[in-house]
Amino acid sequence: MSGDGHTGSPSASHSALEPWPDTVNWQPISRDLIWVELIRLGIGLAVALVVLGVAWALSGHWLLGAAVGVALLIGVWRAITIVRAVRAWGYAERDDDLLVRHGLLVRRLSIVPYSRMQFVDVSAGPLERAFDLATVQLHTAAAASDARVPGLRPAEASRLRDRLTALGEDRAEGL
């Protein structure tokens, strides 16, 4: 198999199956995104627990008590996965494309060619703004291939947006 970087050695075989190439310089996202996601989880969990708790208090049915326990267990499990999931996010700028990686159990690598980008959004909700974070969203001709990079500082998000926009325009002119 020439041209794919596969040399036949066990370590090369392992890296060929690894969806996150180690030949690029991965940029991590801010760990402050962990707090944003934990607060979102806490708000959702609090609402669910209040609803379940009131229903349990009014009806006294044991299944609603069990549902409260299950909701708490799921909340703890989700909090642990949030920490690991945020650490899995990363992006890398290459000459012709942007790579975005994320995922724990199912790892996902999105490769977005600069020439295919139609526009780039930068957004920040209230929680993100409170933690001085923003998300860069890339839009391509194929909606299914859109990628996003959350947890960036606003200055980095603006820099990335401007760079991707400029590279996208340069590559589109070359078509």
Side-chain angles (χ1 to χ4, degrees), residues 28-42:
I29 63 172
S30 173
R31 299 295 186 242
D32 286 344
L33 186 61
I34 293 170
W35 292 110
V36 171
E37 294 299 326
L38 287 175
I39 290 169
R40 285 182 182 149
L41 172 65

PDB file of all heavy atoms in Angstrom, residues 28-42:
ATOM      1  N   PRO A  28      -5.223  22.324  21.724  1.00  0.00           N
ATOM      2  CA  PRO A  28      -6.312  21.972  22.639  1.00  0.00           C
ATOM      3  C   PRO A  28      -7.290  23.138  22.771  1.00  0.00           C
ATOM      4  O   PRO A  28      -6.960  24.282  22.454  1.00  0.00           O
ATOM      5  CB  PRO A  28      -5.585  21.722  23.959  1.00  0.00           C
ATOM      6  CG  PRO A  28      -4.392  22.620  23.888  1.00  0.00           C
ATOM      7  CD  PRO A  28      -3.986  22.652  22.434  1.00  0.00           C
ATOM      8  N   ILE A  29      -8.478  22.836  23.272  1.00  0.00           N
ATOM      9  CA  ILE A  29      -9.430  23.890  23.581  1.00  0.00           C
ATOM     10  C   ILE A  29      -9.299  24.212  25.067  1.00  0.00           C
ATOM     11  O   ILE A  29      -8.635  23.488  25.814  1.00  0.00           O
ATOM     12  CB  ILE A  29     -10.880  23.481  23.223  1.00  0.00           C
ATOM     13  CG1 ILE A  29     -11.337  22.280  24.041  1.00  0.00           C
ATOM     14  CG2 ILE A  29     -10.990  23.205  21.730  1.00  0.00           C
ATOM     15  CD1 ILE A  29     -12.807  21.957  23.881  1.00  0.00           C
ATOM     16  N   SER A  30      -9.923  25.301  25.495  1.00  0.00           N
ATOM     17  CA  SER A  30      -9.812  25.722  26.892  1.00  0.00           C
ATOM     18  C   SER A  30     -10.498  24.723  27.818  1.00  0.00           C
ATOM     19  O   SER A  30     -11.617  24.275  27.559  1.00  0.00           O
ATOM     20  CB  SER A  30     -10.441  27.098  27.075  1.00  0.00           C
ATOM     21  OG  SER A  30     -10.479  27.436  28.444  1.00  0.00           O
ATOM     22  N   ARG A  31      -9.838  24.416  28.926  1.00  0.00           N
ATOM     23  CA  ARG A  31     -10.423  23.528  29.929  1.00  0.00           C
ATOM     24  C   ARG A  31     -11.591  24.199  30.650  1.00  0.00           C
ATOM     25  O   ARG A  31     -12.359  23.538  31.337  1.00  0.00           O
ATOM     26  CB  ARG A  31      -9.370  23.112  30.963  1.00  0.00           C
ATOM     27  CG  ARG A  31      -8.201  22.348  30.365  1.00  0.00           C
ATOM     28  CD  ARG A  31      -8.645  21.008  29.782  1.00  0.00           C
ATOM     29  NE  ARG A  31      -7.512  20.234  29.343  1.00  0.00           N
ATOM     30  CZ  ARG A  31      -7.305  19.869  28.085  1.00  0.00           C
ATOM     31  NH1 ARG A  31      -8.151  20.214  27.159  1.00  0.00           N
ATOM     32  NH2 ARG A  31      -6.271  19.143  27.757  1.00  0.00           N
ATOM     33  N   ASP A  32     -11.759  25.518  30.484  1.00  0.00           N
ATOM     34  CA  ASP A  32     -12.909  26.209  31.075  1.00  0.00           C
ATOM     35  C   ASP A  32     -14.225  25.712  30.494  1.00  0.00           C
ATOM     36  O   ASP A  32     -15.277  25.876  31.113  1.00  0.00           O
ATOM     37  CB  ASP A  32     -12.803  27.722  30.881  1.00  0.00           C
ATOM     38  CG  ASP A  32     -11.750  28.345  31.793  1.00  0.00           C
ATOM     39  OD1 ASP A  32     -11.326  27.674  32.760  1.00  0.00           O
ATOM     40  OD2 ASP A  32     -11.362  29.494  31.540  1.00  0.00           O
ATOM     41  N   LEU A  33     -14.172  25.081  29.316  1.00  0.00           N
ATOM     42  CA  LEU A  33     -15.390  24.513  28.740  1.00  0.00           C
ATOM     43  C   LEU A  33     -15.955  23.420  29.649  1.00  0.00           C
ATOM     44  O   LEU A  33     -17.160  23.175  29.648  1.00  0.00           O
ATOM     45  CB  LEU A  33     -15.123  23.969  27.332  1.00  0.00           C
ATOM     46  CG  LEU A  33     -16.342  23.478  26.562  1.00  0.00           C
ATOM     47  CD1 LEU A  33     -17.348  24.607  26.352  1.00  0.00           C
ATOM     48  CD2 LEU A  33     -15.943  22.864  25.238  1.00  0.00           C
ATOM     49  N   ILE A  34     -15.109  22.784  30.436  1.00  0.00           N
ATOM     50  CA  ILE A  34     -15.577  21.776  31.399  1.00  0.00           C
ATOM     51  C   ILE A  34     -16.591  22.422  32.341  1.00  0.00           C
ATOM     52  O   ILE A  34     -17.662  21.863  32.591  1.00  0.00           O
ATOM     53  CB  ILE A  34     -14.401  21.169  32.194  1.00  0.00           C
ATOM     54  CG1 ILE A  34     -13.508  20.339  31.270  1.00  0.00           C
ATOM     55  CG2 ILE A  34     -14.907  20.330  33.367  1.00  0.00           C
ATOM     56  CD1 ILE A  34     -12.189  19.894  31.886  1.00  0.00           C
ATOM     57  N   TRP A  35     -16.273  23.606  32.863  1.00  0.00           N
ATOM     58  CA  TRP A  35     -17.181  24.288  33.788  1.00  0.00           C
ATOM     59  C   TRP A  35     -18.484  24.675  33.106  1.00  0.00           C
ATOM     60  O   TRP A  35     -19.562  24.531  33.695  1.00  0.00           O
ATOM     61  CB  TRP A  35     -16.511  25.517  34.403  1.00  0.00           C
ATOM     62  CG  TRP A  35     -15.403  25.118  35.311  1.00  0.00           C
ATOM     63  CD1 TRP A  35     -14.069  25.288  35.100  1.00  0.00           C
ATOM     64  CD2 TRP A  35     -15.527  24.438  36.558  1.00  0.00           C
ATOM     65  NE1 TRP A  35     -13.352  24.759  36.140  1.00  0.00           N
ATOM     66  CE2 TRP A  35     -14.226  24.236  37.056  1.00  0.00           C
ATOM     67  CE3 TRP A  35     -16.611  23.975  37.311  1.00  0.00           C
ATOM     68  CZ2 TRP A  35     -13.985  23.590  38.270  1.00  0.00           C
ATOM     69  CZ3 TRP A  35     -16.365  23.349  38.516  1.00  0.00           C
ATOM     70  CH2 TRP A  35     -15.066  23.158  38.980  1.00  0.00           C
ATOM     71  N   VAL A  36     -18.396  25.151  31.873  1.00  0.00           N
ATOM     72  CA  VAL A  36     -19.609  25.512  31.123  1.00  0.00           C
ATOM     73  C   VAL A  36     -20.511  24.291  30.985  1.00  0.00           C
ATOM     74  O   VAL A  36     -21.720  24.350  31.261  1.00  0.00           O
ATOM     75  CB  VAL A  36     -19.246  26.089  29.734  1.00  0.00           C
ATOM     76  CG1 VAL A  36     -20.477  26.258  28.862  1.00  0.00           C
ATOM     77  CG2 VAL A  36     -18.505  27.416  29.892  1.00  0.00           C
ATOM     78  N   GLU A  37     -19.938  23.164  30.586  1.00  0.00           N
ATOM     79  CA  GLU A  37     -20.729  21.950  30.389  1.00  0.00           C
ATOM     80  C   GLU A  37     -21.247  21.389  31.711  1.00  0.00           C
ATOM     81  O   GLU A  37     -22.368  20.872  31.768  1.00  0.00           O
ATOM     82  CB  GLU A  37     -19.906  20.898  29.635  1.00  0.00           C
ATOM     83  CG  GLU A  37     -19.558  21.295  28.212  1.00  0.00           C
ATOM     84  CD  GLU A  37     -20.781  21.519  27.339  1.00  0.00           C
ATOM     85  OE1 GLU A  37     -21.795  20.817  27.521  1.00  0.00           O
ATOM     86  OE2 GLU A  37     -20.726  22.399  26.474  1.00  0.00           O
ATOM     87  N   LEU A  38     -20.454  21.480  32.781  1.00  0.00           N
ATOM     88  CA  LEU A  38     -20.922  21.009  34.093  1.00  0.00           C
ATOM     89  C   LEU A  38     -22.074  21.868  34.606  1.00  0.00           C
ATOM     90  O   LEU A  38     -23.018  21.343  35.212  1.00  0.00           O
ATOM     91  CB  LEU A  38     -19.774  20.985  35.099  1.00  0.00           C
ATOM     92  CG  LEU A  38     -18.741  19.881  34.909  1.00  0.00           C
ATOM     93  CD1 LEU A  38     -17.583  20.053  35.897  1.00  0.00           C
ATOM     94  CD2 LEU A  38     -19.367  18.499  35.036  1.00  0.00           C
ATOM     95  N   ILE A  39     -22.023  23.160  34.376  1.00  0.00           N
ATOM     96  CA  ILE A  39     -23.128  24.031  34.790  1.00  0.00           C
ATOM     97  C   ILE A  39     -24.384  23.707  33.988  1.00  0.00           C
ATOM     98  O   ILE A  39     -25.481  23.621  34.549  1.00  0.00           O
ATOM     99  CB  ILE A  39     -22.732  25.517  34.651  1.00  0.00           C
ATOM    100  CG1 ILE A  39     -21.682  25.856  35.712  1.00  0.00           C
ATOM    101  CG2 ILE A  39     -23.956  26.431  34.778  1.00  0.00           C
ATOM    102  CD1 ILE A  39     -21.026  27.212  35.522  1.00  0.00           C
ATOM    103  N   ARG A  40     -24.234  23.501  32.677  1.00  0.00           N
ATOM    104  CA  ARG A  40     -25.388  23.100  31.852  1.00  0.00           C
ATOM    105  C   ARG A  40     -25.989  21.800  32.373  1.00  0.00           C
ATOM    106  O   ARG A  40     -27.204  21.659  32.475  1.00  0.00           O
ATOM    107  CB  ARG A  40     -24.977  22.938  30.393  1.00  0.00           C
ATOM    108  CG  ARG A  40     -24.755  24.219  29.669  1.00  0.00           C
ATOM    109  CD  ARG A  40     -24.397  23.971  28.216  1.00  0.00           C
ATOM    110  NE  ARG A  40     -24.147  25.224  27.557  1.00  0.00           N
ATOM    111  CZ  ARG A  40     -23.303  25.393  26.556  1.00  0.00           C
ATOM    112  NH1 ARG A  40     -22.634  24.361  26.072  1.00  0.00           N
ATOM    113  NH2 ARG A  40     -23.133  26.571  26.010  1.00  0.00           N
ATOM    114  N   LEU A  41     -25.130  20.844  32.670  1.00  0.00           N
ATOM    115  CA  LEU A  41     -25.596  19.573  33.221  1.00  0.00           C
ATOM    116  C   LEU A  41     -26.306  19.797  34.548  1.00  0.00           C
ATOM    117  O   LEU A  41     -27.378  19.236  34.789  1.00  0.00           O
ATOM    118  CB  LEU A  41     -24.419  18.607  33.409  1.00  0.00           C
ATOM    119  CG  LEU A  41     -24.716  17.309  34.157  1.00  0.00           C
ATOM    120  CD1 LEU A  41     -25.684  16.440  33.357  1.00  0.00           C
ATOM    121  CD2 LEU A  41     -23.433  16.562  34.463  1.00  0.00           C
ATOM    122  N   GLY A  42     -25.723  20.605  35.421  1.00  0.00           N
ATOM    123  CA  GLY A  42     -26.313  20.876  36.725  1.00  0.00           C
ATOM    124  C   GLY A  42     -27.687  21.505  36.622  1.00  0.00           C
ATOM    125  O   GLY A  42     -28.609  21.125  37.362  1.00  0.00           O
TER     126      GLY A  42
END
